[in-house]
Amino acid sequence: MASLIHAKEDIISPKTEIDTAPMMNVTISQGNRKDEEQSVHHAPIVSPYNDKIRPLLDAVDRLRHLKITQEGIQLPTIVVVGDQSSGKSSVLESLAGISLPRGEGICTRVPLIMRLQNNPNPQPELFLEFNETIIPTDEGKITDDISIATEEIAGKGKGISGNPLTLIVKKKGVPDLTMVDLPGITRVPVHGQPEDIYEQISKIIMEFITPEESIILNVLSASVDFSTCESIRMSQRVDKEGQRTLAVVTKSDKSPEGLLEKVTADDVNIRLGYVCVRNRIGDESYEEARAEEAKLFDNHPLLSKMNKSMVGIPVLAEKLVKIQATIIQRCLPEIERKINAKLSANEQELNKLPKHPNSIAEATMTFWLILGSAKESFRKILVQGEFDEYPDVQEMHCTGRLREMFDKYSQELHSKNVVNRDFLLDEIKVLKETKSIELPNFLPKAVFLTLLQRKVKGISTIPLDFVKKAWSYIEYVLTSVLLRHCENYPQLISSIRRAAKNLIAKKKQQSIDWVNVVVEMENLTDYTCHPEYSTTWRMLMADQATLMCRVNDPHSPNVVYIKRFGEINIAHLRHFKGLVEEAYDVKMRITAYWDIVLRRMVDNMALHLVFSIKNLVNKEMEPNIIEELVGPQETGLKKMLEESPFVTEKRNKLEKSIKLLKESKNIVANVIDISFED
């Protein structure tokens, strides 16, 4: 292979002179012209490289035929671009030795992939490929057949399409090349063309020339200022330094003045160099056109000054063959790497898809695996406080979220009825209502219970709201976990949601019943054996004497500081001097006891919820979900046998992609082995 490909710098440098010695005679000397014309008549454009390049090019063509680009893997491609009427068709005709459609407006309305293959058979073989069909044709009707195929792809009229048409030319003497000819660039739509024709053409061109693997063959007319050509502007957008752009200057015979200076100055950065050519005129044969071209660049007073390494169709053919071979050899290892990476990723993704159960027995086993995995996930995130399965989803960090809910619940309980306005009035009113014929300073049981029941009633809705909110959150978590483990069985989603909803509804009702019992117990009687009750009561009673002094002294300040209650206005208490002392005692007993009640409501709620959650995970989840999903008719298991259309489509797509990638891998591996052996 080393003998085939010159160093990359030698090929891409615009100043490099390509050795033309191996080429067939293309320059006609003044003497013995008749004999030399006869030797040129059947001479190939370029031949020494074809036999060794062909395997490389065949490999790339086979990859293109497999549509490997749909897998996001770009192929090395020579892309032919040019402004409308720049002479693109003439250049391609000269390389292929066949006629292409011509006419007013856009002739190339679809990307035309031209696969030229040198064939020793004197009889040319031509084929068109499009829409998954192969149509044989011949040189006599090729233009008509291309026009008919174009209409099938892009429709009648003058519209364009991005769907390609492939032309295979097997002909003796043509260079082994594959090129993509794109629609000529036009800014002004003519009659029958869409108003946005420029935008449509630009989009197609940019799709083909943007990949780094593309070599841009920019066709320019000698008569125009290169810097104003739209094709140059487009190629500069993706190849600013021109490292992968080669320019072909057509109509050299029509505008020879200053051409040498234009291509030498290279104001538009064409790093792969320029090749100036003469277009075929009239009924000239391709051999005659080459002879006339050689004569032009040998004898014209201006054009003959050009270096022979940058003039003529044979030079263009040889440059393209060399560039093509270089880019293919350079890209093949990376293509192989991308194919292997894509193949590995697709195989892993396919393996992650669930094995589709084919019987109730297989569905049952699959169902138990799903349920077991979901149960383990639920235990980890809701009981053990582990959230490695949902590292970035805070809503699924359940122990933390439940703790936040508990803290809020506790704060709400403790903040309820904390009002210092009209201090002791409630207690005084109750004392008045419960007084009867009795010993002095005797505190009736009804006083304490009446005040306690009022306070219990005031907070009774808070624990009920909390358990409802907590179980709604747990329902969200349970449903999320179950759906995640059943995501490959979307036909079960409605059943899963229903099972989770029904299960949590039972648990929620159990908690509501429990809260109602707890509230009723607190409402029924007062009791605690906790020593903190007495300690707190005694601490609060320490300010009673101060309060009574202020109440009994009308000249003392109306504001007094009481522990736990802050500064209290006592002016209204001077009207109830006989009951203030008892009311204060009742207030402090209720306050000390209420601390115990709130603690019980918070602590017992936490214990109840944790206990309920553990029972849910360890004992209740499986049987309830099994009953809901499986049922007596095994409806859930039967649903599992009906694979989701989405999963089926994904499986088929992956299998098709893997097959394509394996074929591509073999193609590339074989040609790499051959190239490195050479």
Side-chain angles (χ1 to χ4, degrees):
M1 198 67 191
S3 62
L4 166 63
I5 310 297
H6 291 288
K8 177 182 174 185
E9 290 78 7
D10 293 338
I11 294 175
I12 66 173
S13 172
K15 298 180 180 179
T16 299
E17 295 186 12
I18 298 178
D19 182 13
T20 58
M23 298 195 312
M24 300 301 294
N25 293 333
V26 294
T27 306
I28 313 280
S29 63
Q30 297 298 319
N32 299 322
R33 184 171 306 280
K34 183 175 181 180
D35 293 338
E36 293 195 17
E37 283 183 356
Q38 290 176 350
S39 67
V40 168
H41 185 70
H42 295 294
I45 297 177
V46 56
S47 61
Y49 301 97
N50 286 8
D51 292 341
K52 294 183 178 181
I53 286 176
R54 188 71 257 160
L56 293 174
L57 198 52
D58 282 344
V60 174
D61 286 340
R62 288 171 66 189
L63 293 176
R64 184 176 287 108
H65 183 73
L66 287 174
K67 298 181 180 179
I68 191 69
T69 53
Q70 293 182 358
E71 300 294 330
I73 299 171
Q74 299 297 332
L75 296 174
T77 305
I78 297 174
V79 182
V80 186
V81 297
D83 292 5
Q84 191 172 327
S85 302
S86 62
K88 268 193 318 104
S89 296
S90 295
V91 171
L92 296 174
E93 285 179 342
S94 297
L95 291 170
I98 60 169
S99 298
L100 297 174
R102 294 172 176 270
E104 295 296 325
I106 300 174
C107 301
T108 305
R109 298 197 290 126
V110 300
L112 178 63
I113 301 173
M114 297 184 63
R115 293 169 55 187
L116 310 184
Q117 300 180 18
N118 181 38
N119 190 345
N121 191 334
Q123 185 64 34
E125 298 178 35
L126 280 68
F127 303 91
L128 288 175
E129 288 185 10
F130 64 98
N131 296 341
E132 307 296 332
T133 59
I134 300 177
I135 299 175
T137 182
D138 57 46
E139 291 182 275
K141 61 176 185 174
I142 183 60
T143 56
D144 292 337
D145 286 345
I146 289 177
S147 298
I148 293 170
T150 299
E151 286 190 357
E152 286 197 34
I153 297 172
K156 295 184 178 181
K158 298 184 179 180
I160 65 170
S161 170
N163 296 325
L165 167 65
T166 299
L167 170 62
I168 301 171
V169 179
K170 297 181 179 181
K171 188 175 181 181
K172 187 175 183 179
V174 300
D176 280 287
L177 286 172
T178 296
M179 301 171 289
V180 181
D181 181 27
L182 299 179
I185 304 167
T186 179
R187 278 197 170 274
V188 182
V190 299
H191 179 68
Q193 291 178 346
E195 289 298 319
D196 63 342
I197 187 67
Y198 171 76
E199 288 75 16
Q200 290 188 35
I201 293 174
S202 297
K203 181 180 178 182
I204 293 175
I205 291 175
M206 294 305 292
E207 285 178 358
F208 276 90
I209 68 175
T210 297
E212 291 293 327
E213 295 82 1
S214 295
I215 295 296
I216 305 170
L217 181 59
N218 216 315
V219 181
L220 311 168
S221 173
S223 61
V224 301
D225 180 357
F226 296 164
S227 63
T228 64
C229 291
E230 192 64 27
S231 62
I232 287 291
R233 292 180 180 177
M234 285 189 182
S235 62
Q236 286 179 336
R237 284 166 59 185
V238 298
D239 183 31
K240 293 181 180 180
E241 301 300 321
Q243 297 294 336
R244 51 189 180 89
T245 302
L246 172 67
V248 182
V249 184
T250 63
K251 307 176 185 178
S252 300
D253 53 330
K254 304 295 184 183
S255 302
E257 292 81 7
L259 182 57
L260 177 59
E261 289 75 12
K262 286 168 70 174
V263 297
T264 304
D266 186 26
D267 294 331
V268 291
N269 291 335
I270 306 294
R271 290 291 178 258
L272 293 184
Y274 293 81
V275 178
C276 300
V277 300
R278 169 191 177 274
N279 294 0
R280 187 167 65 98
I281 300 174
D283 295 330
E284 289 178 341
S285 69
Y286 295 103
E287 290 80 3
E288 290 171 344
R290 268 191 278 160
E292 290 299 320
E293 180 183 62
K295 189 188 304 181
L296 173 71
F297 288 110
D298 273 348
N299 301 330
H300 191 280
L302 296 176
L303 300 179
S304 62
K305 296 179 181 179
M306 289 187 173
N307 192 298
K308 293 302 180 284
S309 67
M310 58 190 304
V311 297
I313 289 294
V315 169
L316 173 63
E318 186 167 2
K319 275 198 172 190
L320 289 175
V321 169
K322 286 184 175 182
I323 290 171
Q324 177 182 250
T326 300
I327 190 70
I328 291 175
Q329 190 185 40
R330 188 185 71 195
C331 290
L332 279 178
E334 180 63 13
I335 290 174
E336 184 180 40
R337 186 195 67 77
K338 289 180 179 179
I339 289 174
N340 288 334
K342 182 74 172 179
L343 178 60
S344 177
N346 283 359
E347 287 177 335
Q348 289 180 17
E349 190 172 359
L350 181 62
N351 290 333
K352 288 179 182 178
L353 292 180
K355 180 183 177 183
H356 183 216
N358 296 311
S359 66
I360 292 294
E362 288 185 10
T364 302
M365 183 178 296
T366 303
F367 176 76
W368 278 109
L369 289 173
I370 291 172
L371 193 56
S373 299
K375 179 180 177 180
E376 184 58 30
S377 295
F378 199 45
R379 177 184 288 112
K380 285 173 64 177
I381 64 174
L382 203 51
V383 177
Q384 298 171 351
E386 301 173 10
F387 43 84
D388 53 287
E389 295 181 15
Y390 301 89
D392 301 318
V393 186
Q394 287 196 339
E395 279 299 306
M396 300 300 287
H397 301 176
C398 302
T399 51
R401 301 295 78 75
L402 284 173
R403 177 55 187 264
E404 290 174 355
M405 294 170 70
F406 268 117
D407 289 344
K408 188 174 180 181
Y409 164 66
S410 178
Q411 291 168 9
E412 191 174 358
L413 280 177
H414 284 84
S415 63
K416 192 72 172 178
N417 296 330
V418 179
V419 180
N420 293 335
R421 183 169 48 85
D422 298 334
F423 185 65
L424 297 184
L425 277 188
D426 287 342
E427 288 77 11
I428 290 172
K429 289 179 182 178
V430 173
L431 280 169
K432 281 184 174 183
E433 294 299 321
T434 57
K435 281 291 183 181
S436 60
I437 300 173
E438 57 192 10
L439 294 172
N441 299 323
F442 181 79
L443 183 61
K445 177 78 170 177
V447 175
F448 193 89
L449 279 179
T450 300
L451 292 171
L452 176 63
Q453 288 166 359
R454 288 183 181 180
K455 291 182 75 67
V456 170
K457 183 179 179 180
I459 56 91
S460 61
T461 60
I462 296 175
L464 285 173
D465 291 342
F466 171 74
V467 295
K468 292 175 183 178
K469 187 181 298 183
W471 282 113
S472 294
Y473 171 67
I474 295 168
E475 179 182 342
Y476 161 77
V477 173
L478 176 61
T479 303
S480 299
V481 170
L482 288 171
L483 291 181
R484 177 170 173 262
H485 286 278
C486 290
E487 61 185 353
N488 293 314
Y489 299 94
Q491 63 272 36
L492 296 181
I493 288 178
S494 60
S495 300
I496 286 289
R497 290 186 186 279
R498 185 171 59 251
K501 189 176 184 67
N502 291 342
L503 175 57
I504 296 302
K506 293 178 185 177
K507 300 298 294 181
K508 183 187 294 185
Q509 188 58 50
Q510 290 173 5
S511 290
I512 290 173
D513 294 342
W514 177 84
V515 167
N516 287 331
V517 170
V518 168
V519 170
E520 187 60 28
M521 287 192 300
E522 297 292 354
N523 209 26
L524 184 62
T525 187
D526 53 311
Y527 175 77
T528 181
C529 64
H530 203 297
E532 186 177 327
Y533 166 71
S534 299
T535 303
T536 303
W537 174 73
R538 283 193 293 269
M539 181 269 294
L540 293 173
M541 290 297 291
D543 291 326
Q544 186 184 40
T546 302
L547 174 69
M548 294 309 299
C549 288
R550 295 285 179 89
V551 169
N552 293 323
D553 183 1
H555 303 293
S556 63
N558 289 334
V559 177
V560 61
Y561 178 82
I562 305 294
K563 291 184 181 68
R564 291 279 296 269
F565 299 94
E567 293 185 340
I568 301 298
N569 191 310
I570 60 170
H572 61 286
L573 296 180
R574 292 192 172 104
H575 303 293
F576 308 100
K577 292 181 180 179
L579 293 173
V580 170
E581 189 171 6
E582 286 183 282
Y584 187 88
D585 185 11
V586 171
K587 179 77 170 180
M588 298 312 147
R589 290 179 187 275
I590 284 290
T591 300
Y593 184 69
W594 193 241
D595 288 348
I596 304 297
V597 172
L598 293 182
R599 184 175 295 119
R600 280 200 297 250
M601 285 201 165
V602 173
D603 293 349
N604 288 339
M605 179 67 79
L607 295 173
H608 165 76
L609 201 57
V610 170
F611 178 73
S612 298
I613 290 172
K614 287 190 175 181
N615 276 341
L616 171 67
V617 175
N618 296 327
K619 299 178 181 180
E620 299 168 318
M621 188 179 85
E622 283 181 335
N624 279 271
I625 291 177
I626 290 170
E627 181 182 358
E628 185 71 42
L629 285 185
V630 178
Q633 303 298 322
E634 298 182 328
T635 53
L637 296 178
K638 289 177 181 177
K639 284 182 180 180
M640 291 182 67
L641 300 178
E642 304 167 5
E643 186 172 53
S644 156
F646 169 77
V647 175
T648 301
E649 181 182 355
K650 187 175 183 180
R651 190 192 305 279
N652 292 339
K653 184 178 179 181
L654 286 171
E655 288 175 347
K656 183 179 178 181
S657 174
I658 288 170
K659 180 182 177 183
L660 182 154
L661 290 166
K662 284 182 176 179
E663 290 183 41
S664 303
K665 179 179 178 180
N666 291 334
I667 291 170
V668 175
N670 290 337
V671 76
I672 284 182
D673 290 343
I674 294 173
S675 65
F676 280 103
E677 284 175 7
D678 291 342

